[in-house]
Amino acid sequence: MILIIIGVLAGIISGMGIGGGTLVVPALTMFCGTEQLQAQGLNLLYFIPTATVALCSHVKNKRVETENLWYIIISGLILAVAGSFIALSLDQGILRKAFGCFLLLMGAWEILKKPR
Amino acid sequence: MQIITIIIKHPFGNYSSERVFSMRKAASSALGAAIGIINGVFGAGAGAFCVFGLEKFLKLEDKRAHSTAIAVILPLTVVSAAVICFKTEIDWGMALKLSAGGIIGGFLGAKLFAKISSIWLNRIFGVIMIAAAVQMIFKVN
């Protein structure tokens, strides 16, 4: 049940594009005792259907910018594969701490962001 | 970094439109590379970083950046997930429950998206993210 609740809450945040995924990983490691790599894998899997639903709505409302989109996606795809192999090769404790540092930066940015 | 700085300072001025266009392509590719690494290594958070990059370097407006970020992250997530699934034992029961919640939430989130002013949401999530980050950094193995 807690998994479904985490899913719904994170889905709402992801759908709004505020970074639900960044909260799924710590939620899983904290409340479900999941290992870091497993939590990351679950977050990736969970994001696929969730984002597909949200993306359909955004595409329908023409909110997606297509200029240069393929350049971002293609270079991103190559490095995403490389990054995944890096994650697999790292010690789980180190991976978790690195993730924590990254989360700290993203959190600071969310707070300091200026309203438009 | 140099390329990016030039775009910020001179979005259109001083350069022919063709040059600006190719620099936007270069900046887009560089942004994609950074997003790809984050998505692969951390399996999360690349979306938030993508929004940041789209707003800062490619000058997309807030809501457009959020929507476009999802279009960028989705294909990257598919390949990252494929690599992780191939190499580790994934608990598919957990994945299924999370996704079931996620589909409902994703639908609601996209509907709410157009109506909500996000600045306070951003701040609240920022605080939660920092709290989670501190916990993750200091947790003993």
Side-chain angles (χ1 to χ4, degrees):
Chain A
M1 193 59 207
I2 186 151
L3 284 168
I4 297 176
I5 295 169
I6 293 174
V8 172
L9 289 178
I12 293 175
I13 307 165
S14 294
M16 292 161 73
I18 317 180
T22 40
L23 293 179
V24 170
V25 175
L28 285 175
T29 57
M30 267 189 256
F31 303 129
C32 306
T34 314
E35 287 272 329
Q36 179 68 23
L37 189 63
Q38 175 82 214
Q40 293 186 187
L42 286 173
N43 177 53
L44 288 169
L45 286 172
Y46 136 88
F47 185 75
I48 297 171
T50 309
T52 306
V53 172
L55 188 58
C56 288
S57 160
H58 290 320
V59 168
K60 211 170 69 187
N61 292 306
K62 300 204 186 334
R63 282 196 289 252
V64 175
E65 176 65 55
T66 49
E67 191 211 347
N68 291 331
L69 186 61
W70 286 108
Y71 289 87
I72 307 178
I73 291 177
I74 288 167
S75 66
L77 282 175
I78 299 164
L79 273 290
V81 173
S84 297
F85 280 103
I86 295 172
L88 286 167
S89 69
L90 287 177
D91 171 77
Q92 302 247 355
I94 292 170
L95 187 60
R96 195 190 61 230
K97 283 182 173 45
F99 186 95
C101 293
F102 172 66
L103 197 56
L104 200 64
L105 291 176
M106 295 311 299
W109 177 65
E110 291 288 354
I111 292 172
L112 298 174
K113 208 161 97 167
K114 288 190 182 67
R116 282 154 200 269
Chain B
M1 205 55 216
Q2 194 58 41
I3 294 167
I4 291 163
T5 320
I6 292 165
I7 293 172
I8 293 166
K9 284 182 182 159
H10 309 282
F12 299 106
N14 292 350
Y15 295 92
S16 71
S17 61
E18 198 179 313
R19 185 152 165 76
V20 169
F21 186 56
S22 70
M23 280 194 296
R24 278 185 74 87
K25 281 180 185 168
S28 299
S29 306
L31 180 63
I35 294 163
I37 274 282
I38 292 171
N39 197 57
V41 175
F42 295 129
F49 180 78
C50 184
V51 172
F52 171 78
L54 289 172
E55 287 180 3
K56 268 268 181 302
F57 305 135
L58 298 178
K59 298 285 160 203
L60 291 196
E61 169 266 328
D62 183 58
K63 294 215 163 169
R64 244 184 138 62
H66 281 92
S67 312
T68 308
I70 299 175
V72 172
I73 303 303
L74 187 55
L76 272 55
T77 300
V78 172
V79 299
S80 293
V83 174
I84 303 281
C85 289
F86 190 63
K87 293 279 185 180
T88 49
E89 287 287 319
I90 289 287
D91 186 333
W92 289 100
M94 285 178 84
L96 206 66
K97 285 180 192 158
L98 265 180
S99 304
I103 292 170
I104 302 165
F107 181 74
L108 290 175
K111 286 262 177 263
L112 283 173
F113 180 70
K115 292 167 192 142
I116 279 181
S117 137
S118 65
I119 188 66
W120 280 104
L121 275 173
N122 280 331
R123 286 179 185 160
I124 293 164
F125 288 119
V127 171
I128 299 173
M129 280 159 90
I130 288 174
V134 170
Q135 196 268 350
M136 291 178 97
I137 294 168
F138 293 105
K139 189 177 154 197
V140 185
N141 291 331

